[in-house]
Structures are given as structure tokens and as C-alpha cells.
């Protein structure tokens, strides 16, 4: 099912300026049971992974870790989940670490990457989404072999910036299953995407302007 899951695309640096040296990719889909997220973390220095913290609600953010933020309009404040490469879990609601939810994490370590599969049952997220409802979401990574912070939706100063989380809309429309960026020149960009179910290329806007044939890059940080 992961091949048909929505792809979030390569992560950018925390501040949104440039791409990290180690690529991070994530996919997301839902089932009757809950929300499922897979995060693949490329790591050329697998022998230097930091994963010393064990035990529920340990300080796993001090290790290599993946963090998922989910803001359901009916769950205030947002839910925050953190897991390291040993699948040790930490969770909190907003900044309240006394909050615990029922969720699962599975880690797979490879030769040049590590993968995290996360399952969040709907009760852990405040209940199932309504058709057409929009939640806020972010998926982030802290890398330790080389100090590096990356996000799907760059938040700037830190991960806990809910106003800068991305948007997660629940509906029956096609979703992007592959996404790549191409910069043919310093001032021109292109996006190549694959959708499931197969659909005509959807209307794409960049910075509020139609971008069906590519988009202009007017200044650093513009896109």
C-alpha cells in the first residue's frame, strides 16, 4: 500500500533555505484504524547513529529521531510524537509530556538509511477526520552524525511552530505518489509528479501564480 500512499516529498532545512545533506522522504495514508506515516532517512554514517535513550518518554529528541506533529481541530493543543532508531517513543500534547497516547512505531535499519513506520490510531489524534476536513501536520527529522534539522514544512526557529505546519486535507481526490523538483536554470524551476488514481495534471500554483509550464524563481527563498 505504500506505493500508492501520498508522498510528502524531500524535506528542506529547518529555516527553508536549501536542502539538507542527508535526504528525508515521507509518505502518509489513512485506514479505518488510523493514520499511517513512513519516514525514510538517508544516512551515509549509519555507524554513528545516536540511539542511546530507551524507555517510554525518554529524551529521544537528543538522539537521531523523527518527530510528527498532528493538529486536529478537536484536539487542542496539537499532538507531538518523537521516536528514535530503536523505536523508543516519546509523546506529548503541546508541551505537556504527562500526556500519553496509544500508538505504534517500528524501526528498520539498513546499510545507508533507516526507516520508521508509525501508526496513530484515531483516538490518539482526537478522533476520525470528517470528509473534506483539513488538519495541520508536520514531519521533522533531527540528524546527529552531522548536526542537521529538516522538516516537511519548514518552521524556521524550531519544530514547535503550529502556525507553520503543513495542511492535511481528508478527501477522495487523487494524491501525489511521486514528486521531484528540477531546476533547469537559476531562475526557472519545474515539478514532476505522479498521481493515484491516474488523473490529468492538476492545476499547480507557485507563489499564487499558475505554474503549469514551470515557474519563475525571482529571488532566493521565493519558492
Amino acid at each position: 500500500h505504500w506505493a500508492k500512499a501520498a508522498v510528502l516529498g524531500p524535506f528542506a532545512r529547518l529555516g527553508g533555505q536549501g536542502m539538507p545533506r542527508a535526504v528525508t522522504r515521507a509518505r502518509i495514508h489513512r485506514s479505518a484504524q488510523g493514520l499511517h506515516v513512513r519516514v525514510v532517512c538517508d544516512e551515509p554514517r549509519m555507524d554513528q547513529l545516536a540511539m542511546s535513550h530507551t524507555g517510554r518518554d525518554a529524551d529521544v529528541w537528543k538522539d537521531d529521531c523523527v518527530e510528527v506533529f498532528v493538529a486536529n481541530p478537536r484536539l487542542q493543543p496539537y499532538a507531538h510524537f518523537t521516536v528514535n532508531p530503536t523505536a523508543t517513543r516519546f509523546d506529548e500534547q503541546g508541551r505537556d509530556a504527562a500526556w500519553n497516547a496509544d500508538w505504534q512505531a517500528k524501526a528498520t535499519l539498513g546499510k545507508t538509511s533507516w526507516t520508521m513506520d508509525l501508526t496513530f490510531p484515531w483516538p490518539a489524534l482526537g478522533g476520525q477526520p470528517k470528509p473534506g476536513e483539513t488538519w495541520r501536520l508536520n514531519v521533522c527529522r533531527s540528524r546527529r552524525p552531522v548536526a542537521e534539522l529538516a522538516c516537511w514544512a519548514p518552521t524556521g526557529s524550531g519544530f514547535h511552530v503550529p502556525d507553520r505546519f503543513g495542511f492535511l486535507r481528508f478527501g477522495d481526490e487523487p494524491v501525489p505518489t511521486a514528486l521531484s523538483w528540477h531546476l533547469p536554470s537559476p531562475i526557472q524551476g519545474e515539478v514532476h509528479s505522479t498521481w493515484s488514481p491516474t488523473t490529468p495534471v492538476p492545476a499547480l500554483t507557485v507563489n499564487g501564480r499558475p505554474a503549469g509550464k514551470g515557474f519563475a524563481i525571482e529571488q532566493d527563498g521565493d519558492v
Side-chain angles (χ1 to χ4, degrees):
H1 54 272
W2 285 113
K4 294 185 178 180
V7 63
L8 300 185
F11 289 23
R13 292 184 183 275
L14 174 66
Q17 299 293 320
M19 306 301 288
R21 283 169 284 185
V23 174
T24 308
R25 298 170 299 277
R27 290 181 179 272
I28 186 168
H29 77 93
R30 61 170 167 159
S31 68
Q33 289 71 42
L35 195 66
H36 307 268
V37 181
R38 167 171 283 186
V39 186
V40 179
C41 304
D42 286 1
E43 180 51 71
R45 304 185 184 186
M46 286 292 293
D47 59 328
Q48 299 178 30
L49 276 184
M51 45 184 175
S52 61
H53 292 82
T54 59
R56 181 66 183 268
D57 285 341
D59 296 347
V60 293
W61 61 86
K62 297 179 180 178
D63 292 335
D64 281 87
C65 65
V66 165
E67 304 188 36
V68 177
F69 298 79
V70 182
N72 176 345
R74 296 180 296 281
L75 179 68
Q76 298 295 333
Y78 55 87
H80 173 215
F81 308 92
T82 307
V83 62
N84 71 4
T86 67
T88 299
R89 296 171 297 155
F90 170 88
D91 52 13
E92 60 183 353
Q93 189 174 6
R95 295 284 191 172
D96 180 10
W99 180 82
N100 283 311
D102 178 20
W103 56 289
Q104 294 80 46
K106 177 183 177 182
T108 304
L109 275 61
K111 293 183 178 180
T112 59
S113 67
W114 58 284
T115 299
M116 188 61 59
D117 288 323
L118 304 166
T119 298
F120 305 105
W122 295 122
L125 304 177
Q128 293 196 42
K130 299 176 182 177
E133 190 171 52
T134 297
W135 294 7
R136 302 301 292 269
L137 170 80
N138 210 2
V139 185
C140 308
R141 175 190 177 185
S142 296
R143 185 182 175 220
R144 300 307 178 193
V146 174
E148 203 166 54
L149 300 176
C151 303
W152 170 54
T155 49
S157 58
F159 292 160
H160 288 260
V161 187
D163 289 344
R164 300 194 67 178
F165 292 171
F167 294 92
L168 176 64
R169 186 163 62 89
F170 295 92
D172 294 327
E173 294 84 358
V175 297
T177 58
L179 184 68
S180 63
W181 296 80
H182 176 53
L183 303 177
S185 79
I187 61 172
Q188 183 70 19
E190 297 175 357
V191 179
H192 301 271
S193 59
T194 302
W195 295 71
S196 179
T198 302
T199 180
V201 176
L204 176 67
T205 59
V206 176
N207 298 327
R209 296 187 296 272
K213 296 183 179 179
F215 53 89
I217 303 171
E218 298 177 354
Q219 60 183 0
D220 288 347
D222 188 41
V223 179

